[in-house]
Amino acid sequence: MQYTFGGTPADVLVDAAGNVIPDYPVIIRVAGTGQQVTALYELDGAPIGQLRSNPAGSDQPGAIRAFRVADVTEIEYEYNGASGQPVRWFQAAREVAQEALATAQAAIPSPAVDGSAGDALLLGENGAPVWGRLTSGTVAPWAALEAANGPRWIAHRGGALLAPENTIEAVRMSSALNADAVEIDVYKVADGGLFVMHDTTVDRTSNISGTTSQLTTPAALRGRIDAGVWFANSWPSDLRIPLFSDVLAEVGGTIPIIVHCNNSGSGAAAVEEIRRQELDGSVLIMAWNETELAAARAAGIPTLLLDTDGVLADKTYAQLLATGTRYLGVDYSQTSNATIQAAAAAGLRVMVYTVNRRAHFAALPKDGSVWAVISDDPWYVRGTGPMRTTSNYGAQTFYHGMVGMTDALDYRGFFQQAGSTSYFGLDASGTAMAFNGGYVSCLQGYVGPLPETFTVDFDYVLDVTDYATASLQFTLTVDDTQYDEDVTGTSARANGYNILVRSNGTIDVYKNTGGVATSIGTLATAAITPGTTQHLRVRLTATQIIVTRTNIAAPNVLTVTDSTYRTGLYPHLGVRDTKTRWANLAVTA
């Protein structure tokens, strides 16, 4: 395998005097999976150091000495113990005999700690040989993930709530935002290549059609991902359908990669490509059946078995571990905490999927039994992403915590730039959302949780209204659980408040408790002219909910006395049989 280090403050070369050699990334090539470094290379592939392997090191002239690198990787360098100098060194792909370096060696400082800290002779400034010390960047990505504190956070399908799933753009984003690891899906296609694609067909996400496994590598090159249709209208229609080799070439060696192998033969094909690119230490192979894990097990690559409820049907946890698989993937919504804890106690590393809401993560065990969390937006769920007090609609794409409803499938809204104003919108007018009764909403989690008392302001435009009582809705829920106004029951109507502004101007406020909505206030105001910009202010004090249409004359204020819910509220924007857009959402305490 090979991986890169250097060129960052954390991963640099230092000479024997402790001086940093800046901007000096190199490739480390490692033999097999044992993490024994065998060579150092420039990024263009030119060798800059030759490391020799010999199991019987000694201090005799011409013998080989082993140096430690960051207490992880063992280096064995051809070394003359008598003179304290290397016997040979490679530069620009040609071997330079010791005699040719005789004049240069006199000026080369010997290792500061006799090589024990991982010193090696490297190519320095202007081509002069220097002693370099390898740092933590030599730790393979998966080993680094193992050493990290739990739970680790995995970007599902590359981070599918923030970028189009399973695209190069998604994995670039996850790497740039420092996800602990990235998960992608692969399908083996008819000519043996590997598509990065989740579905059994390519129809949902691309401009081509057909069963994924029956397509070919040239089909991937011909086709394009039309993210503007299914992800967000602001994204282009010509993103590349990546091949697995593309993803490895893009981020391999820089971030741990979980490879979900989806069909017969994809596991072996993935392992073949991983080994071709020498990235054994960067990946984990994941599948629903052990057949697709076999090649990875044989190669010593980590493996994960997916099992929805975590209760294995045909073996015990101990028997799974005996096969060489140390990781178990479970659906958080189908697995009990007791099962997660039992699997972890047996020695398995448990990953839970696909956790997109903080409330769902909060319900998981916090005793270390959850080894990793797989999420479409891990930065939001873990609470470390940059939260805001204002909307970020100017980016014209989804931000952290913008999660849709289950019944809306992939639909979460659209973006529009009208002059200097940036809008986010939802469309349930006509038959667009007929499958959910004309209702859809989207969590605005990036401003949550809200303080106990606050004011929210936003502009809005009702572009299309199907009838006089059709509405836009501003919903406040306890925790960031889903709110679906079209479905009754506690699982869909979370506790909190729902504020409706209807096309005819009526403002209604409902309180939701235990899945039941109760009217607690109503006010008739001026009707809304479609296409005009309106403004709404919602203020929660300790005892009241005050809703104001600030841009119209009185009557324009509805005041409701209720103090039931104040802690941990999250806002949602929704529509019932309207096409509505919002701008300039802001929260003040």
Side-chain angles (χ1 to χ4, degrees), residues 80 113 240 333 400 433 544 568-569:
N80 187 318
V113 200
R240 276 277 313 277
S333 67
H400 299 286
M433 288 293 154
Q544 293 181 322
L569 295 177

Side-chain angles (χ1 to χ4, degrees), residues 270-587:
V271 169
E272 182 179 355
E273 182 61 29
I274 289 162
R275 302 200 75 177
R276 188 184 72 82
Q277 295 199 33
E278 303 180 68
L279 291 168
D280 311 48
S282 295
V283 298
L284 172 141
I285 297 295
M286 176 170 78
W288 284 101
N289 65 79
E290 294 185 78
T291 300
E292 297 310 314
L293 304 180
R297 288 170 174 170
I301 295 172
T303 54
L304 178 150
L305 181 65
L306 290 163
D307 190 84
T308 303
D309 62 5
V311 181
L312 303 179
D314 60 347
K315 55 171 55 69
T316 65
Y317 296 143
Q319 288 169 333
L320 179 62
L321 284 163
T323 67
T325 291
R326 296 186 298 166
Y327 301 84
L328 180 67
V330 301
D331 183 340
Y332 81 93
S333 67
Q334 303 295 318
T335 305
S336 70
N337 284 356
T339 296
I340 292 172
Q341 292 165 324
L348 287 165
R349 294 161 169 82
V350 181
M351 299 193 200
V352 295
Y353 66 89
T354 304
V355 184
N356 290 336
R357 298 179 186 269
R358 292 174 177 173
H360 296 159
F361 172 62
L364 293 170
K366 298 300 185 291
D367 57 1
S369 56
V370 175
W371 192 86
V373 179
I374 300 175
S375 171
D376 291 324
D377 187 356
W379 307 273
Y380 164 71
V381 179
R382 74 191 300 183
T384 57
M387 296 294 102
R388 303 177 60 88
T389 56
T390 60
S391 58
N392 196 32
Y393 301 151
Q396 293 289 279
T397 190
F398 295 108
Y399 194 66
H400 299 286
M402 295 183 72
V403 187
M405 300 165 9
T406 302
D407 285 352
L409 303 178
D410 290 323
Y411 182 76
R412 289 184 290 153
F414 64 90
F415 295 89
Q416 184 181 107
Q417 189 71 34
S420 61
T421 304
S422 301
Y423 289 95
F424 160 74
L426 292 164
D427 187 0
S429 62
T431 59
M433 288 293 154
F435 57 82
N436 195 47
Y439 176 82
V440 68
S441 70
C442 183
L443 173 71
Q444 309 292 298
Y446 53 86
V447 294
L450 295 165
E452 291 192 9
T453 61
F454 59 86
T455 300
V456 175
D457 282 272
F458 55 79
D459 297 322
Y460 64 94
V461 178
L462 271 67
D463 288 312
V464 179
T465 61
D466 289 359
Y467 44 85
T469 56
S471 61
L472 73 87
Q473 303 188 16
F474 179 73
T475 309
L476 297 166
T477 62
V478 177
D479 294 326
D480 63 343
T481 48
Q482 171 178 279
Y483 182 80
D484 187 346
E485 197 257 353
D486 194 61
V487 178
T488 58
T490 55
S491 63
R493 290 190 176 183
N495 289 348
Y497 303 106
N498 195 20
I499 298 165
L500 283 67
V501 180
R502 302 184 186 276
S503 175
N504 64 8
T506 300
I507 299 173
D508 285 312
V509 177
Y510 291 86
K511 179 167 67 175
N512 293 298
T513 302
V516 177
T518 303
S519 175
I520 56 175
T522 186
L523 176 71
T525 70
I528 299 171
T529 302
T532 61
T533 301
Q534 308 288 313
H535 187 89
L536 196 72
R537 175 170 295 156
V538 177
R539 183 182 176 199
L540 262 70
T541 70
T543 59
Q544 293 181 322
I545 305 166
I546 305 166
V547 184
T548 307
R549 289 184 62 192
T550 63
N551 61 308
I552 64 170
N556 66 338
V557 181
L558 172 61
T559 300
V560 176
T561 299
D562 186 277
S563 58
T564 308
Y565 304 115
R566 289 297 184 276
T567 303
L569 295 177
Y570 283 78
H572 309 244
L573 298 178
V575 289
R576 162 74 75 179
D577 296 318
T578 70
K579 179 180 181 182
T580 301
R581 49 195 161 101
W582 294 263
N584 302 316
L585 186 150
V587 178

Side-chain angles (χ1 to χ4, degrees), residues 22-342:
D23 301 322
Y24 195 78
V26 299
I27 291 173
I28 306 297
R29 176 155 285 142
V30 181
T33 58
Q35 298 220 43
Q36 182 184 78
V37 173
T38 57
L40 303 176
Y41 290 83
E42 292 276 20
L43 289 183
D44 64 4
I48 57 173
Q50 179 67 26
L51 304 170
R52 299 286 180 165
S53 176
N54 187 332
S58 73
D59 290 336
Q60 299 304 312
I64 295 184
R65 299 184 55 178
F67 302 143
R68 299 294 299 178
V69 181
D71 293 325
V72 174
T73 305
E74 182 173 298
I75 292 182
E76 295 187 349
Y77 193 94
E78 188 159 356
Y79 190 91
N80 187 318
S83 66
Q85 298 293 346
V87 174
R88 59 186 61 212
W89 178 60
F90 275 65
Q91 178 183 8
R94 17 176 237 281
E95 182 177 317
V96 181
Q98 185 176 1
E99 304 84 70
L101 288 174
T103 56
Q105 285 175 343
I108 302 172
S110 295
V113 200
D114 194 26
S116 60
D119 296 288
L121 191 62
L122 303 171
L123 189 64
E125 188 176 2
N126 300 320
V130 296
W131 283 103
R133 180 165 296 163
L134 306 181
T135 65
S136 59
T138 57
V139 179
W142 198 263
L145 187 69
E146 284 275 7
N149 294 326
R152 297 123 184 109
W153 291 84
I154 317 298
H156 183 241
R157 303 186 197 175
L161 281 176
L162 298 182
E165 67 181 56
N166 285 316
T167 60
I168 292 294
E169 287 74 14
V171 296
R172 283 174 181 163
M173 175 199 69
S174 294
S175 181
L177 292 178
N178 297 312
D180 292 333
V182 61
E183 184 264 0
I184 61 170
D185 298 272
V186 297
Y187 260 90
K188 183 179 180 181
V189 296
D191 60 4
L194 285 175
F195 271 28
V196 178
M197 188 73 65
H198 175 267
D199 296 358
T200 57
T201 72
V202 296
D203 299 52
R204 176 175 64 91
T205 58
S206 80
N207 64 356
I208 56 178
S209 62
T211 303
T212 307
S213 61
Q214 294 305 309
L215 294 172
T216 62
T217 301
L221 302 176
R222 176 183 69 84
R224 287 294 181 267
I225 292 174
D226 192 350
V229 170
W230 59 271
F231 180 72
N233 64 308
S234 53
W235 278 77
S237 60
D238 60 351
L239 301 180
R240 276 277 313 277
I241 298 174
L243 301 176
F244 181 49
S245 57
D246 297 330
V247 173
L248 292 184
E250 179 72 30
V251 297
T254 65
I255 185 172
I257 303 171
I258 295 176
V259 186
H260 184 183
C261 298
N262 279 283
N263 67 328
S264 178
S266 58
V271 169
E272 182 179 355
E273 182 61 29
I274 289 162
R275 302 200 75 177
R276 188 184 72 82
Q277 295 199 33
E278 303 180 68
L279 291 168
D280 311 48
S282 295
V283 298
L284 172 141
I285 297 295
M286 176 170 78
W288 284 101
N289 65 79
E290 294 185 78
T291 300
E292 297 310 314
L293 304 180
R297 288 170 174 170
I301 295 172
T303 54
L304 178 150
L305 181 65
L306 290 163
D307 190 84
T308 303
D309 62 5
V311 181
L312 303 179
D314 60 347
K315 55 171 55 69
T316 65
Y317 296 143
Q319 288 169 333
L320 179 62
L321 284 163
T323 67
T325 291
R326 296 186 298 166
Y327 301 84
L328 180 67
V330 301
D331 183 340
Y332 81 93
S333 67
Q334 303 295 318
T335 305
S336 70
N337 284 356
T339 296
I340 292 172
Q341 292 165 324

